[in-house]
Amino acid sequence: VSAGELTEHLQYWQDDVKVDRYRRALVEVVRPGDTVLDLGSGTGLLGMLAVEAGAGRVLAVENGAISTVTAEVVERNHLDERIEVRQGLSTTLDLDEPVDVVVGDQIGGFVFSAGVLRFYADASRRLLRPEGTFVPGSFDLLLAPVQHQASRDAIDGWASAPFGYDLGPFHERAQNLVRYVVLDEDSLLGTPQACGTVAAHDDRRFRATLDTHVTTDGRLDGVAGMFVGHLSPSVTLSNVPGHPDRLQHRWQDLFPLGRGIDVVAGDRVEAEVVVNPVSYLTSWSIRVTSRAGHVHLEDHSTFEGALFDPAWFRIAAGRPVAIDGVARSACRVIADGEGAGVDTAAVVAAVRAEHPGASAGQVDRLVRSLVTLLADGPGEPQA
Ligand SMILES: C[S@@+](CC[C@H](N)C(=O)[O-])C[C@H]1O[C@@H](n2cnc3c(N)ncnc32)[C@H](O)[C@@H]1O
């Protein structure tokens, strides 16, 4: 276990809002004797709250090294007859009987980026009984125009030609990446607007739109995605700055502009964000219209950032992967696909339709190796 991991998990115990809201939600949802799956259990916090709420049995599954110590903690607290800890990803877990409740909190800034949607979707197909309950069950998504100096510096730094060297290609990548940021109320240039709701186990692609007006003069650095999660019928949890149910340690996802735009109250900001919760492929466009009618428009996608960059595939594969137009189409078709499980034959057909000159065997081999690379999705982000 690393020092960083321990510090992260201590923060979860020290977040009074989080513990209080999960405790209340589990009391509302868990019925005496229920079996509960604590998905991404860390130190076992939510599983222990589930036992408090009356669960008969808790299965705690955790992928990280932290789980090796969690079993000791469970024993120390005389809960080993109720809580069983298993190390591994929930997607590799097999159960004899489906559970009554799944609880977890791997919620990203704009929900998808810590994996809840894709892991809960898998749990709903294999691990939870049909009428079972997810905690949280759904999320309201919100978008807001924001100013964020550290992100601006991290993008603009690549454009500054240090020592006279042109680092432009890195500048292009930097503006096509989602940034995990911690915002306060002063970062908001307008009130966060609700832009849709997703069920916690829905891993289909979603699209969120924003059409709002700036309320505070400043420099627009991008649009931030945030959430209000419904833990149970009467309990919510959020990462929206200033929200009374705000988690103390949860980032927001910033979809940046390539360059900061000076804005004044009354300027209009429109945005569209499209997310694939399985591959994390995220595309966004932001349009700013000043009161004088001047328009600034930018389109970005993580497909153009490092994640789906040819270099990323080369590194991830651990060997050279010939990256050409065919490979780019294959990456895009795979990453843009709906939900979990890739239909390899359909991807091959789509790529061949775009590149009729490419040999069937070459496309087939390429698609298979890229599907394998993408199968586990990207790693967990850190705030
Ligand atoms: C945000 S932390 C919360 C830990 C714990 N639930 C708590 O409340 O303190 C999420 C944890 O889930 C783990 N995790 C995320 N996805 C997982 C998965 N699909 N299977 C197993 N563990 C997972 C991560 O390693 C991390 O320790």
Side-chain angles (χ1 to χ4, degrees), residues 1-10 66:
V1 181
S2 69
E5 226 178 322
L6 281 188
T7 303
E8 176 198 334
H9 286 279
L10 181 60
I66 194 93

Side-chain angles (χ1 to χ4, degrees), residues 5 9 38-44 59-68 70 85-90 106:
E5 226 178 322
H9 286 279
D38 179 359
L39 199 163
S41 54
T43 55
L59 186 59
V61 62
E62 166 59 48
N63 189 40
I66 194 93
S67 65
T68 54
T70 304
V85 184
R86 290 211 207 152
Q87 178 158 26
L89 264 184
S90 57
Q106 50 278 39

Side-chain angles (χ1 to χ4, degrees), residues 243-254:
H243 194 285
D245 299 317
R246 183 179 181 178
L247 283 157
Q248 282 158 26
H249 302 286
R250 198 60 44 106
W251 66 95
Q252 295 83 23
D253 288 352
L254 175 68

Side-chain angles (χ1 to χ4, degrees), residues 91 111 211 331 360:
T91 48
V111 179
D211 186 352
C331 295

Side-chain angles (χ1 to χ4, degrees), residues 322-333 351-352 354-359 362-364 366-367 370:
I323 297 293
D324 50 16
V326 178
R328 275 183 75 75
S329 321
C331 295
R332 205 198 59 249
V333 174
V351 174
R352 289 199 65 206
E354 286 184 21
H355 298 272
S359 93
Q362 181 213 353
V363 173
D364 193 67
L366 182 76
V367 168
L370 292 175

Side-chain angles (χ1 to χ4, degrees), residues 177-194:
L177 292 171
V178 180
R179 296 185 172 270
Y180 306 119
V181 297
V182 178
L183 301 173
D184 52 31
E185 286 173 78
D186 290 343
S187 330
L188 301 176
L189 297 180
T191 312
Q193 303 289 322

Side-chain angles (χ1 to χ4, degrees), residues 335-353:
D336 207 22
E338 288 283 353
V342 176
D343 179 347
T344 307
V347 176
V348 170
V351 174
R352 289 199 65 206

Side-chain angles (χ1 to χ4, degrees), residues 147 189 214 216-221 261-265 267:
Q147 172 163 342
L189 297 180
V214 168
T216 312
D217 298 0
R219 186 198 56 236
L220 184 71
D221 291 319
I261 303 293
D262 289 328
V263 290
V264 295
D267 287 351

